Amino acid sequence: AQSVTQPDIHITVSEGASLELRCNYSYGATPYLFWYVQSPGQGLQLLLKYFSGDTLVQGIKGFEAEFKRSQSSFNLRKPSVHWSDAAEYFCAVFLSFGAGTTVTVRA
Amino acid sequence: EAGVAQSPRYKIIEKRQSVAFWCNPISGHATLYWYQQILGQGPKLLIQFQNNGVVDDSQLPKDRFSAERLKGVDSTLKIQPAKLEDSAVYLCASSLVGGATADTQYFGPGTRLTVL
Protein backbone atom coordinates (compact mmCIF):
# COMPACT_ATOMS: atom_id res chain seq x y z
CA ALA A 1 0.00 0.00 0.00
CA GLN A 2 1.12 3.53 -0.66
CA SER A 3 1.23 6.42 1.81
CA VAL A 4 2.29 10.04 1.89
CA THR A 5 3.78 12.14 4.69
CA GLN A 6 3.86 15.91 4.66
CA PRO A 7 5.99 16.77 7.69
CA ASP A 8 5.07 20.47 7.86
CA ILE A 9 1.54 21.27 8.95
CA HIS A 10 1.91 25.02 8.55
CA ILE A 11 4.52 27.24 6.90
CA THR A 12 4.68 31.02 6.97
CA VAL A 13 6.72 32.76 4.31
CA SER A 14 7.26 36.40 3.36
CA GLU A 15 6.06 37.60 0.00
CA GLY A 16 8.92 37.39 -2.48
CA ALA A 17 10.76 34.74 -0.50
CA SER A 18 11.30 31.19 -1.68
CA LEU A 19 9.06 28.31 -0.61
CA GLU A 20 9.75 24.61 -0.24
CA LEU A 21 7.15 22.08 0.85
CA ARG A 22 8.25 18.60 1.81
CA CYS A 23 6.66 15.35 0.77
CA ASN A 24 7.79 11.81 1.51
CA TYR A 25 6.09 8.78 0.10
CA SER A 26 6.05 5.06 0.66
CA TYR A 27 5.69 2.83 -2.38
CA GLY A 28 7.66 -0.14 -3.66
CA ALA A 29 7.91 0.69 -7.33
CA THR A 30 8.01 3.87 -9.38
CA PRO A 31 5.19 6.01 -8.07
CA TYR A 32 2.85 8.43 -9.76
CA LEU A 33 3.26 11.62 -7.73
CA PHE A 34 1.12 14.74 -7.67
CA TRP A 35 0.95 18.14 -6.00
CA TYR A 36 -2.40 19.89 -5.64
CA VAL A 37 -3.38 23.28 -4.30
CA GLN A 38 -6.65 24.05 -2.51
CA SER A 39 -7.53 27.70 -2.03
CA PRO A 40 -10.33 28.81 0.31
CA GLY A 41 -13.68 28.28 -1.35
CA GLN A 42 -12.12 26.62 -4.37
CA GLY A 43 -11.67 23.07 -5.44
CA LEU A 44 -8.45 21.11 -5.63
CA GLN A 45 -6.29 22.04 -8.58
CA LEU A 46 -3.40 20.03 -9.97
CA LEU A 47 -0.08 21.91 -9.87
CA LEU A 48 2.14 19.22 -11.38
CA LYS A 49 2.69 15.50 -11.64
CA TYR A 50 5.50 13.00 -12.12
CA PHE A 51 5.44 9.44 -13.38
CA SER A 52 8.60 9.01 -15.43
CA GLY A 53 11.40 10.86 -17.19
CA ASP A 54 13.08 14.03 -15.99
CA THR A 55 13.05 14.13 -12.20
CA LEU A 56 12.58 17.92 -12.13
CA VAL A 57 8.99 18.69 -13.05
CA GLN A 58 7.63 22.09 -13.96
CA GLY A 59 4.07 22.98 -13.11
CA ILE A 60 1.62 25.82 -13.23
CA LYS A 61 1.85 29.07 -11.27
CA GLY A 62 5.68 28.94 -11.29
CA PHE A 63 5.95 25.79 -9.14
CA GLU A 64 8.39 22.95 -9.66
CA ALA A 65 9.04 19.67 -7.86
CA GLU A 66 11.96 17.27 -7.77
CA PHE A 67 11.58 13.51 -7.51
CA LYS A 68 14.38 11.87 -5.49
CA ARG A 69 14.02 8.12 -5.47
CA SER A 70 16.87 7.60 -2.97
CA GLN A 71 15.08 9.80 -0.44
CA SER A 72 11.51 8.80 -1.37
CA SER A 73 10.76 12.49 -1.67
CA PHE A 74 8.92 14.81 -4.02
CA ASN A 75 9.40 18.31 -2.65
CA LEU A 76 7.59 21.30 -4.11
CA ARG A 77 9.38 24.62 -4.64
CA LYS A 78 8.69 28.13 -5.79
CA PRO A 79 11.48 30.73 -6.09
CA SER A 80 9.37 33.79 -5.23
CA VAL A 81 6.04 33.56 -3.43
CA HIS A 82 3.10 35.83 -4.19
CA TRP A 83 0.31 36.65 -1.72
CA SER A 84 -2.06 34.62 -3.90
CA ASP A 85 -0.05 31.47 -3.12
CA ALA A 86 -1.57 31.35 0.35
CA ALA A 87 -3.47 28.08 0.32
CA GLU A 88 -3.32 24.45 1.38
CA TYR A 89 -1.04 22.16 -0.56
CA PHE A 90 -1.45 18.41 -0.87
CA CYS A 91 1.02 15.83 -2.08
CA ALA A 92 -0.40 12.55 -3.39
CA VAL A 93 0.94 9.21 -4.56
CA PHE A 94 -1.56 7.65 -6.93
CA LEU A 95 -4.89 8.32 -5.18
CA SER A 96 -3.51 8.59 -1.61
CA PHE A 97 -3.18 12.11 -0.29
CA GLY A 98 -1.05 13.54 2.49
CA ALA A 99 -2.56 15.59 5.29
CA GLY A 100 -1.58 18.85 3.64
CA THR A 101 0.56 21.89 4.41
CA THR A 102 -1.05 25.26 4.98
CA VAL A 103 0.95 28.15 3.55
CA THR A 104 0.53 31.64 4.94
CA VAL A 105 2.12 34.54 3.08
CA ARG A 106 2.98 37.67 5.04
CA ALA A 107 3.45 41.05 3.42
CA GLU B 1 -15.49 23.28 -21.04
CA ALA B 2 -17.75 22.90 -18.04
CA GLY B 3 -16.12 21.57 -14.89
CA VAL B 4 -17.26 18.91 -12.45
CA ALA B 5 -20.61 19.85 -10.96
CA GLN B 6 -21.73 18.87 -7.48
CA SER B 7 -24.88 19.49 -5.51
CA PRO B 8 -25.86 20.48 -2.98
CA ARG B 9 -22.96 22.67 -1.89
CA TYR B 10 -23.94 22.53 1.76
CA LYS B 11 -26.08 20.15 3.79
CA ILE B 12 -26.92 20.02 7.48
CA ILE B 13 -28.65 16.95 8.88
CA GLU B 14 -29.13 15.25 12.20
CA LYS B 15 -27.46 11.97 13.04
CA ARG B 16 -29.30 8.88 11.86
CA GLN B 17 -30.83 10.78 8.95
CA SER B 18 -29.98 9.94 5.36
CA VAL B 19 -28.39 12.22 2.76
CA ALA B 20 -27.47 12.02 -0.91
CA PHE B 21 -24.93 13.90 -2.97
CA TRP B 22 -24.89 14.25 -6.73
CA CYS B 23 -21.99 14.63 -9.12
CA ASN B 24 -21.87 15.32 -12.85
CA PRO B 25 -18.38 14.80 -14.26
CA ILE B 26 -16.77 16.53 -17.21
CA SER B 27 -18.32 15.33 -20.44
CA GLY B 28 -16.48 12.36 -21.91
CA HIS B 29 -14.60 11.47 -18.73
CA ALA B 30 -14.67 7.74 -18.15
CA THR B 31 -13.53 7.70 -14.54
CA LEU B 32 -15.28 9.23 -11.56
CA TYR B 33 -14.03 9.41 -7.98
CA TRP B 34 -15.63 10.22 -4.65
CA TYR B 35 -13.44 11.47 -1.82
CA GLN B 36 -14.12 12.34 1.82
CA GLN B 37 -12.13 15.23 3.25
CA ILE B 38 -12.41 15.65 7.01
CA LEU B 39 -11.34 19.02 8.39
CA GLY B 40 -7.56 19.18 8.74
CA GLN B 41 -6.95 16.07 6.66
CA GLY B 42 -6.27 15.24 3.06
CA PRO B 43 -8.91 13.74 0.81
CA LYS B 44 -9.53 10.03 1.26
CA LEU B 45 -10.74 8.00 -1.70
CA LEU B 46 -14.10 6.38 -1.05
CA ILE B 47 -14.88 4.87 -4.44
CA GLN B 48 -13.64 4.93 -8.01
CA PHE B 49 -15.80 4.15 -11.04
CA GLN B 50 -14.67 3.46 -14.57
CA ASN B 51 -17.69 4.01 -16.79
CA ASN B 52 -20.43 2.35 -14.72
CA GLY B 53 -18.23 -0.28 -13.06
CA VAL B 54 -16.55 -0.06 -9.65
CA VAL B 55 -12.74 -0.11 -9.78
CA ASP B 56 -12.02 0.39 -6.08
CA ASP B 57 -14.39 0.71 -3.12
CA SER B 58 -12.07 -0.72 -0.47
CA GLN B 59 -12.35 2.36 1.77
CA LEU B 60 -16.10 2.83 1.42
CA PRO B 61 -17.94 2.05 4.71
CA LYS B 62 -20.44 -0.19 3.02
CA ASP B 63 -22.66 -0.59 6.08
CA ARG B 64 -23.80 3.01 5.66
CA PHE B 65 -22.38 4.42 2.42
CA SER B 66 -23.46 3.51 -1.09
CA ALA B 67 -22.69 4.95 -4.50
CA GLU B 68 -23.88 4.35 -8.01
CA ARG B 69 -23.12 5.48 -11.52
CA LEU B 70 -25.83 3.75 -13.46
CA LYS B 71 -25.37 5.14 -16.96
CA GLY B 72 -21.66 5.79 -16.73
CA VAL B 73 -22.15 9.54 -16.47
CA ASP B 74 -23.38 11.19 -13.29
CA SER B 75 -23.16 9.61 -9.87
CA THR B 76 -24.88 9.64 -6.50
CA LEU B 77 -23.26 9.02 -3.11
CA LYS B 78 -25.61 8.19 -0.24
CA ILE B 79 -25.13 7.94 3.50
CA GLN B 80 -27.76 6.12 5.54
CA PRO B 81 -27.81 6.52 8.50
CA ALA B 82 -25.38 9.39 9.05
CA LYS B 83 -23.07 9.57 12.05
CA LEU B 84 -21.39 12.58 13.62
CA GLU B 85 -18.03 11.46 12.21
CA ASP B 86 -19.39 11.73 8.66
CA SER B 87 -19.15 15.52 8.90
CA ALA B 88 -16.75 16.37 6.08
CA VAL B 89 -16.47 17.77 2.58
CA TYR B 90 -17.35 15.22 -0.08
CA LEU B 91 -15.39 15.78 -3.24
CA CYS B 92 -16.14 14.40 -6.65
CA ALA B 93 -13.48 14.24 -9.36
CA SER B 94 -13.30 12.92 -12.88
CA SER B 95 -10.56 11.99 -15.31
CA LEU B 96 -10.49 11.15 -18.97
CA VAL B 97 -9.16 7.64 -18.59
CA GLY B 98 -8.10 6.95 -15.00
CA GLY B 99 -7.14 3.52 -13.82
CA ALA B 100 -3.43 3.04 -13.21
CA THR B 101 -2.36 5.98 -15.34
CA ALA B 102 -1.13 9.39 -14.24
CA ASP B 103 -4.32 10.84 -15.66
CA THR B 104 -5.21 14.31 -14.39
CA GLN B 105 -8.14 14.46 -12.00
CA TYR B 106 -10.48 17.46 -12.14
CA PHE B 107 -12.23 18.19 -8.88
CA GLY B 108 -15.63 19.66 -8.20
CA PRO B 109 -16.27 22.31 -5.53
CA GLY B 110 -17.40 19.72 -2.99
CA THR B 111 -20.40 19.29 -0.72
CA ARG B 112 -19.89 20.30 2.90
CA LEU B 113 -21.87 17.98 5.18
CA THR B 114 -22.52 18.80 8.80
CA VAL B 115 -24.06 16.10 10.97
CA LEU B 116 -25.55 17.36 14.25
Side-chain angles (χ1 to χ4, degrees):
Chain A
Q2 57 266 26
S3 65
V4 176
T5 302
Q6 294 182 247
D8 304 304
I9 296 173
H10 190 197
I11 286 180
T12 299
V13 61
S14 297
E15 193 169 14
S18 64
L19 174 67
E20 181 167 13
L21 303 182
R22 296 184 291 164
C23 172
N24 294 100
Y25 68 90
S26 173
Y27 185 68
T30 300
Y32 293 163
L33 294 161
F34 306 82
W35 274 102
Y36 293 87
V37 61
Q38 189 174 40
S39 300
Q42 298 190 20
L44 278 161
Q45 182 182 22
L46 179 69
L47 287 174
L48 48 79
K49 61 184 178 182
Y50 170 83
F51 58 97
S52 68
D54 193 347
T55 56
L56 185 62
V57 182
Q58 302 297 321
I60 63 171
K61 302 177 186 280
F63 285 93
E64 66 178 25
E66 186 171 13
F67 170 60
K68 292 186 177 180
R69 184 187 301 276
S70 61
Q71 298 177 19
S72 296
S73 70
F74 188 56
N75 294 349
L76 182 71
R77 298 191 293 255
K78 184 168 185 177
S80 178
V81 169
H82 187 261
W83 64 265
S84 59
D85 294 321
E88 189 150 22
Y89 292 80
F90 294 95
C91 180
V93 56
F94 292 101
L95 303 179
S96 295
F97 284 73
T101 298
T102 301
V103 173
T104 298
V105 180
R106 60 181 174 222
Chain B
E1 155 180 285
V4 176
Q6 291 188 247
S7 67
R9 293 293 310 276
Y10 304 91
K11 190 73 176 178
I12 300 174
I13 62 172
E14 296 192 349
K15 60 183 178 183
R16 290 188 290 274
Q17 287 187 321
S18 61
V19 64
F21 313 126
W22 174 82
C23 172
N24 190 29
I26 292 173
S27 178
H29 280 196
T31 303
L32 185 147
Y33 313 79
W34 282 103
Y35 290 87
Q36 179 192 59
Q37 186 176 18
I38 293 172
L39 187 63
Q41 299 181 20
K44 182 182 84 171
L45 180 69
L46 293 176
I47 189 166
Q48 177 187 353
F49 292 96
Q50 185 138 9
N51 298 308
N52 60 352
V54 175
V55 175
D56 181 1
D57 64 355
S58 58
Q59 298 193 90
L60 187 73
K62 298 180 185 65
D63 57 334
R64 297 184 301 106
F65 286 65
S66 65
E68 60 184 13
R69 193 184 184 200
L70 292 176
K71 297 182 179 178
V73 180
D74 56 351
S75 176
T76 302
L77 176 69
K78 296 179 182 178
I79 308 175
Q80 182 179 9
K83 293 185 175 182
L84 296 177
E85 58 262 35
D86 298 332
S87 293
V89 175
Y90 290 84
L91 297 168
C92 180
S94 70
S95 63
L96 189 60
V97 176
T101 70
D103 207 15
T104 297
Q105 292 184 75
Y106 296 86
F107 285 82
T111 296
R112 183 177 298 276
L113 174 67
T114 302
V115 182
L116 303 175

